[in-house]
Amino acid sequence: MAVPENVKADRLRPGYHFLPPANWMNDPNGLIQWKGQYHLFYQHNPTQATWGRIHWGHALSQDLLHWQHLDIAMEPTPGGPDGDGVWSGCAVNAGGKPVIFYTGVNPEVQCMATSSDDLKTLEKYPGNPVIPHPPAEMKLTGFRDPCVWREGKTWYMIIGSGFEGQGGALLLYSSPDKVHWVYRHPVLTAGSVAAGDLSLGNMWECPQMFPLGDQHLVHFSACDQHGPYYVVYLTGVYRQETFYPQRILKLDYGDEFFYAPQAFLDDRGRRIMLGWCREERSQEAQLQAGWAGVMSLPRQIEPRPDGLPGFSPIEELQGLREQPFHLANERLTPTSTNLLKSIRSDSFELQAVIEPAVAEEFGFKICASPHGEEFTVLSYFTASRRLVVDTTHASLAAQAPGSVHEIPSLPLDGGALHLRLFVDRSIVEVYLNGWACLTARMYPTLNTSLGVELFAKDGDIQVKSLDFWQMKPAG
Ligand code: DQQ
């Protein structure tokens, strides 16, 4: 499937992130490495760049970066249990056979699909739905996005949900054969989470639970009837079919711009996550561009000594680097000339270790035009330990007003900020100190908005090291 010329011509379309050839994409689905190849299914409207009548798109890769677009894997069956949409779900390896679980609408029910040709094509189970309704007598805010795994001879499924008037919930089912499912109980409810300053809405979408070191990690995408909030993760203990949460944090501080993620275990034992990064320009602009939605870079999740998950971009990304630029042990004052003035790019990776020394604020301007009309700022505030990404000046277009995102508490690590920044035209992903991530969107209009600047305010900074690479397209 080729990318249409008008879509290809959009200079804001990312070059090394995954997107479908055209039109709408949201959640990643059914992530699995099968016979060595990575399969990415995704929520897709193949007819236009808006959400609606959702299908499962499908792509194949050897390295999670270069993708081959395949035929649509599943479309709604008129009059069937997924007649109004083939919504999100997962893939499992059931004794050497791939099996897919997903939500069919309307109403929301759980369905199954299999494949007899190593996932080239999917066949919906003729007895669908395998779970035809929610547990009796429950007033739920939703019933969707199955996550399935096996323990011994038992299959388990958690379904994203919420109790009306009470908050989100994850419902646990079990099955001896993947076809007959019995409701057990909620594995987690809003009442058992000490959420602090976080708002968890009344519906928890796209949940997952998996082991992380000697603990478990649960994540879900919190929302309410008005829309998405953000993804949170909880570390804790899973015992006797119940999850006992300990810590809760945002999974990405870009909030709704990294949503409905899914992780899978690859053949090398890596836990890798992709998330859907929605657009932040008007619907009119999206329709005009002919595409909407981009997948995040694949993130590896590993347990850290402090019990929190660590996030890092997969190492395969290093293969896209070219034209390196390096500097080390440079002192930068508020009046120094820009150390990065020779760089012009909207497709790059930047890695830096910076000590604030005495600066009260320091950071980067990216996608900056020479005369200051357009720029995105990433700032670290030393006293308050806040990291702020501001895209409100990223674009002169009224259709892309931008927003401000913040990591409220980001202590330095060994006295320094360790930062990895990936810019790919209209998306920026930042990894900080190995555990905090922030994803944002930006839509510069000027083809001169390619500058990168390192700045310090109210004092000097010490740049321990800084590496920059142009990134080759992949996608
Ligand atoms: N997207 C899907 C749902 C899921 C939501 C529908 C999250 O299954 O809850 O496209 O973005």
Side-chain angles (χ1 to χ4, degrees):
M1 256 157 285
V3 180
E5 287 307 317
N6 66 317
V7 173
K8 216 187 274 178
D10 181 1
R11 56 174 282 274
L12 293 172
R13 184 172 160 87
Y16 61 91
H17 285 71
F18 174 81
L19 329 85
N23 297 315
W24 173 269
M25 178 183 75
N26 56 299
D27 319 347
N29 293 150
L31 290 176
I32 194 165
Q33 188 173 15
W34 192 260
K35 305 239 164 117
Q37 295 186 302
Y38 294 104
H39 289 259
L40 165 60
F41 300 91
Y42 54 89
Q43 296 280 282
H44 184 39
N45 179 353
T47 56
Q48 58 176 355
T50 51
W51 187 87
R53 197 153 185 274
I54 290 294
H55 296 49
W56 271 34
H58 187 191
L60 192 65
S61 175
Q62 306 281 3
D63 62 0
L64 289 164
L65 297 177
H66 298 84
W67 293 95
Q68 180 192 351
H69 297 295
L70 302 181
D71 290 342
I72 299 279
M74 290 196 279
E75 61 179 285
T77 300
D82 59 15
D84 284 350
V86 186
W87 284 17
S88 284
C90 62
V92 293
N93 183 340
K97 295 248 184 283
V99 179
I100 302 280
F101 294 91
Y102 67 96
T103 297
V105 284
N106 210 350
E108 293 171 11
V109 292
Q110 313 318 319
C111 297
M112 193 173 87
T114 54
S115 176
S116 52
D117 57 7
D118 290 325
L119 290 173
K120 279 193 201 75
T121 56
L122 302 183
E123 292 122 45
K124 294 180 188 172
Y125 176 59
N128 276 339
V130 290
I131 304 182
H133 49 72
E137 315 283 315
M138 283 190 177
K139 288 213 163 36
L140 301 180
T141 53
F143 184 62
R144 57 180 181 270
D145 309 335
C147 163
V148 176
W149 72 97
R150 183 169 48 185
E151 284 174 40
K153 291 199 157 99
T154 305
W155 289 92
Y156 285 99
M157 178 189 290
I158 48 177
I159 299 178
S161 191
F163 298 122
E164 273 180 22
Q166 292 174 47
L170 304 181
L171 307 181
L172 183 73
Y173 281 73
S174 69
S175 168
D177 57 8
K178 308 181 294 301
V179 173
H180 301 92
W181 292 91
V182 175
Y183 174 61
R184 312 287 291 204
H185 50 252
V187 73
L188 182 70
T189 59
S192 55
V193 178
D197 292 341
L198 296 169
S199 304
L200 300 183
N202 64 3
M203 171 62 202
W204 293 353
E205 304 183 295
C206 298
Q208 264 194 314
M209 180 171 74
F210 48 79
L212 179 82
D214 54 8
Q215 294 188 301
H216 270 71
L217 183 142
V218 167
H219 69 83
F220 55 80
S221 298
C223 71
D224 66 18
Q225 59 280 18
H226 304 297
Y229 289 18
Y230 32 69
V231 185
V232 295
Y233 68 77
L234 301 97
T235 55
V237 175
Y238 178 62
R239 193 188 314 119
Q240 289 166 338
E241 300 185 353
T242 301
F243 180 74
Y244 298 93
Q246 283 163 0
R247 297 192 59 181
I248 178 167
L249 280 173
K250 281 190 190 175
L251 205 149
D252 188 296
Y253 290 85
D255 296 342
E256 72 265 38
F257 298 103
F258 178 93
Y259 200 71
Q262 188 173 96
F264 72 106
L265 210 51
D266 82 350
D267 292 350
R268 287 164 56 184
R270 298 182 298 176
R271 184 79 62 182
I272 297 172
M273 173 178 271
L274 282 97
W276 161 45
C277 309
R278 73 179 67 225
E279 301 304 318
E280 199 183 14
R281 53 181 169 179
S282 69
Q283 196 180 61
E284 190 193 353
Q286 295 174 44
L287 283 167
Q288 209 174 346
W291 65 277
V294 50
M295 237 21 119
S296 73
L297 294 174
R299 296 180 178 176
Q300 187 171 348
I301 311 175
E302 287 170 295
R304 288 162 53 98
D306 61 7
L308 290 178
F311 296 98
S312 54
I314 56 163
E315 64 182 15
E316 286 87 334
L317 276 156
Q318 294 172 23
L320 300 181
R321 294 170 172 171
E322 57 184 10
Q323 300 175 42
F325 170 96
H326 173 77
L327 51 87
N329 298 321
E330 292 270 358
R331 191 87 176 175
L332 184 81
T333 74
T335 53
S336 303
T337 47
N338 176 20
L339 291 172
L340 308 176
K341 63 178 184 307
S342 61
I343 292 173
R344 307 188 56 69
S345 179
D346 60 359
S347 178
F348 64 85
E349 176 187 349
L350 192 155
Q351 199 168 327
V353 180
I354 300 175
E355 290 175 348
V358 290
E360 288 193 4
E361 181 190 342
F362 67 93
F364 292 89
K365 277 189 185 169
I366 54 171
C367 298
S369 61
H371 304 297
E373 304 92 332
E374 293 186 329
F375 56 89
T376 288
V377 198
L378 183 152
S379 286
Y380 186 73
F381 295 87
T382 314
S384 55
R385 307 192 303 189
R386 287 179 307 130
L387 188 287
V388 176
V389 172
D390 183 343
T391 60
T392 57
H393 298 98
S395 177
L396 290 173
Q399 293 167 319
S403 50
V404 179
H405 309 278
E406 173 173 327
I407 305 177
S409 174
L410 181 72
L412 296 172
D413 185 350
L417 187 71
H418 300 247
L419 164 143
R420 289 187 73 176
L421 183 73
F422 292 86
V423 169
D424 191 2
R425 292 165 185 166
S426 60
I427 183 166
V428 51
E429 288 184 63
V430 200
Y431 293 74
L432 296 141
N433 293 351
W435 66 269
C437 297
L438 195 155
T439 302
R441 304 300 307 270
M442 62 220 168
Y443 304 90
T445 61
L446 306 172
N447 51 21
T448 52
S449 294
L450 299 169
V452 184
E453 183 190 337
L454 173 61
F455 65 85
K457 284 189 186 162
D458 301 320
D460 298 0
I461 56 172
Q462 182 72 18
V463 183
K464 301 282 288 178
S465 66
L466 188 150
D467 288 280
F468 173 96
W469 299 268
Q470 303 282 355
M471 291 294 262
K472 286 184 268 196

